[in-house]
Amino acid sequence: STTTALLLTPIIRSSKKNTPASPFCRDMPHDVVSSAVQCRAVSSGIVEDSDIDNKYDHQRQRPQINYPSRREMIHATTAVASACCINAAAPKAVLADDNSNVEAKSPFIALTKNLIQDNESAKSTMTTSNANPLDIIDWNGPKKRGLNMEQMADAINDGLVEQEWFVTGIGKPELFSPNFTFTDPDVSLAGYESYCRAVRKLFDQNTARCELVCCSVTATNTITLLWRNSGKVNLGPIQIDLKPYLVTTTLKADPNDGNLILSQVDEFDSDGLGLLLYQIPFLRSLAGSSAPSVNVLKQKCNFYTCKLTA
């Protein structure tokens, strides 16, 4: 059949509109340049008695030791206290909106849902000049029905590379069914607008990233995506640093509604201990390996399946 032929023939997805499309996601990102973190150096060893200066000279001249500042320790302790209650799944799980149909699958998710809502209310009362880009999206506008699965994969690919809506919420409602549902290991949510507004609240818009590795048609009415999540999430007044990790997203299209996307399922590995240790800068080396860069991931990716090879 035509669908089988398409699945068996790799094509090229590119950020350039006039080039052939492919399962290979858009342009390769630039190399990541790491930055150093400065720590405050603290030294002690003051001797008041001048008669014993010589005896204690070696103490005065000992090398300086880098200690975390009191502010850094307070921040780390607070973050760890929050991280103790969550695992790596929680950042993607705490998706909730006042008007959304949300099923929280654990008591903690229900609690953090309220924290996010309270934090959003506080922000809205403090800043009224900054317009929310989601407010100018026509959520009830015309739908793009009739795309075949490869065309739909191209549209999803292009939109995510440009807007990263898995963390920004700046989505493309024309591609999604009015009956859209989202689920991950800890939460279920109904409605595409509700989903987009929820991720907008959850992720810190200055740091959060959705870096696409792969977007391919992998089965009948199925698009699979592999992406790298990083940055910070908001839990009330607290921000949690994410240890960069990989998310596999499965989108199901509805052939009875012009192949609009009907459902989204996110899957990822939990690493509660790693998330906890990652909150303390001087313990991050103990948190385990973060997800590699997108360049490295693309070299290891099977673009027929969006799975990494050994």
Side-chain angles (χ1 to χ4, degrees):
S1 66
T2 303
T3 302
T4 304
L6 287 172
L7 290 174
L8 294 177
T9 306
I11 49 174
I12 301 177
R13 279 191 225 299
S14 170
S15 60
K16 298 179 180 179
K17 303 295 183 180
N18 57 355
T19 58
S22 118
F24 295 88
C25 301
R26 313 273 309 251
D27 297 335
M28 299 289 280
H30 296 294
D31 291 337
V32 178
V33 180
S34 61
S35 60
V37 178
Q38 291 185 332
C39 295
R40 181 177 300 171
V42 180
S43 62
S44 58
I46 300 176
V47 180
E48 296 180 356
D49 193 339
S50 59
D51 293 335
I52 56 173
D53 278 353
N54 292 335
K55 182 177 179 180
Y56 291 97
D57 272 349
H58 68 284
Q59 292 186 11
R60 289 199 193 91
Q61 297 172 4
R62 66 190 178 200
Q64 289 184 333
I65 302 175
N66 290 334
Y67 295 98
S69 68
R70 185 183 176 204
R71 181 186 297 272
E72 291 169 337
M73 285 298 296
I74 292 173
H75 173 76
T77 302
T78 305
V80 167
S82 300
C84 285
C85 301
I86 62 178
N87 56 33
K92 288 295 295 175
V94 196
L95 300 179
D97 182 81
D98 289 333
N99 300 317
S100 64
N101 182 15
V102 178
E103 176 193 353
K105 300 177 183 178
S106 75
F108 178 74
I109 298 306
L111 170 64
T112 49
K113 174 181 74 173
N114 294 329
L115 284 175
I116 293 173
Q117 292 172 358
D118 292 342
N119 188 47
E120 187 67 17
S121 299
K123 286 182 179 179
S124 62
T125 57
M126 294 173 61
T127 43
T128 56
S129 58
N130 294 332
N132 186 338
L134 274 61
D135 292 339
I136 63 174
I137 295 176
D138 186 1
W139 299 101
N140 298 312
K143 300 293 186 181
K144 276 193 174 181
R145 292 180 170 90
L147 298 179
N148 63 41
M149 290 305 296
E150 288 295 342
Q151 291 170 333
M152 179 62 76
D154 283 340
I156 295 291
N157 181 94
D158 292 350
L160 278 171
V161 171
E162 292 168 3
Q163 300 293 353
E164 301 188 18
W165 76 69
F166 286 166
V167 296
T168 66
I170 305 175
K172 299 179 79 66
E174 65 271 20
L175 303 177
F176 289 81
S177 167
N179 301 314
F180 171 83
T181 60
F182 167 86
T183 187
D184 70 8
D186 290 288
V187 74
S188 296
L189 182 151
Y192 184 66
E193 180 181 359
S194 295
Y195 166 76
C196 288
R197 290 190 180 277
V199 296
R200 181 87 185 172
K201 291 178 182 179
L202 175 63
F203 288 98
D204 172 49
Q205 296 304 305
N206 293 319
T207 60
R209 293 296 313 276
C210 156
E211 297 176 277
L212 193 58
V213 178
C214 177
C215 176
S216 296
V217 178
T218 55
T220 303
N221 303 323
T222 303
I223 297 172
T224 301
L225 303 98
L226 180 66
W227 55 284
R228 184 180 187 270
N229 193 191
S230 61
K232 297 180 180 180
V233 294
N234 302 309
L235 296 180
I238 301 169
Q239 287 193 325
I240 299 295
D241 286 290
L242 296 176
K243 186 178 77 169
Y245 65 102
L246 296 179
V247 183
T248 298
T249 295
T250 302
L251 302 178
K252 290 287 187 179
D254 184 357
N256 297 319
D257 194 14
N259 279 341
L260 295 179
I261 301 301
L262 182 61
S263 67
Q264 174 177 333
V265 178
D266 282 3
E267 298 175 288
F268 37 86
D269 293 330
S270 299
D271 182 12
L273 178 60
L275 178 63
L276 188 156
L277 294 173
Y278 199 76
Q279 306 313 305
I280 310 174
F282 50 89
L283 292 182
R284 284 187 177 179
S285 60
L286 304 177
S289 300
S290 299
S293 70
V294 173
N295 282 343
V296 172
L297 292 168
K298 285 187 175 183
Q299 294 173 7
K300 298 180 178 181
C301 187
N302 180 333
F303 291 100
Y304 291 99
T305 62
C306 283
K307 293 182 180 180
L308 299 180
T309 58

